[in-house]
Amino acid sequence: MGVGLLRGRRRGGPVTGAPRPPYAAAPTVLHTTVTDPLARPLLDELTHEYRTRYEKPVDLSLEYPPEEFTPPRGAFLLLLADGGPVAGGAYRRYDAHTAEFKRIWTHSAHRRRGLARRVLDVLERDAADRGYTRVYLTTGPRQPEAKGLYLAAGYRPLFDPSADPETIGPLPFEKHLEIPRP
């Protein structure tokens, strides 16, 4: 799972992680499908990012049947700002009690604003509302920003965090969810 690259100062260039003006309105959540044309630009950028980091493309809509990410067993959502997708993520049923989160992603023009954390929070609430008590996810070994996000959000690494990530492969995490009480 990716959350995007951290950005900093380019040599002799501007600060690329500089503050950006706020959105006209706070991003809104759209529960939709993997096949929604609105999701395509975000998924295309994610595919490009995976190709760049891992030298292989990854496309959620081609890897899994789209119905795996539809209620009641799963979900796919986008965060929309100023009419366009800025972040997104999905989950599917892993087992009777566990939701597997997939492809949490922030568009490169909208990083460092807490959007991936918001997607994570919405997915967790949605999964808990559907009766899941645990989340399982993996992220790639070349995605330190994703690893940091999951650790900061209370996910437990199912690997030795002090080991070289390249020797582990996909980095698995879990988090236990609280079921909302009526």
Side-chain angles (χ1 to χ4, degrees), residues 3-6 53-54 139-149 171:
V3 293
L5 293 171
L6 295 176
R53 288 191 192 207
Y54 299 104
T139 191
R142 296 179 189 162
Q143 294 169 255
E145 63 284 338
K147 178 182 172 185
L149 169 70
L171 308 177

Side-chain angles (χ1 to χ4, degrees), residues 26-110:
T28 58
V29 176
L30 173 66
H31 284 84
T32 187
T33 65
V34 174
T35 58
D36 185 333
L38 197 55
R40 191 75 258 158
L42 203 63
L43 294 173
D44 287 347
E45 186 184 47
L46 174 61
T47 298
H48 173 75
E49 184 76 25
Y50 274 66
R51 185 179 293 121
T52 301
R53 288 191 192 207
Y54 299 104
E55 299 174 355
K56 70 176 196 169
V58 174
D59 189 321
L60 185 68
S61 62
L62 299 176
E63 288 181 88
Y64 305 97
E67 57 272 7
E68 288 193 25
F69 302 102
T70 59
R73 295 166 56 112
F76 180 81
L77 68 87
L78 297 172
L79 288 187
L80 303 178
D82 301 329
V86 294
Y91 72 84
R92 66 187 190 134
R93 182 180 191 269
Y94 187 76
D95 65 35
H97 306 286
T98 307
E100 180 183 19
F101 285 10
K102 303 297 286 182
R103 308 299 185 260
I104 295 168
W105 183 250
T106 301
H107 187 282
S108 61
H110 301 277

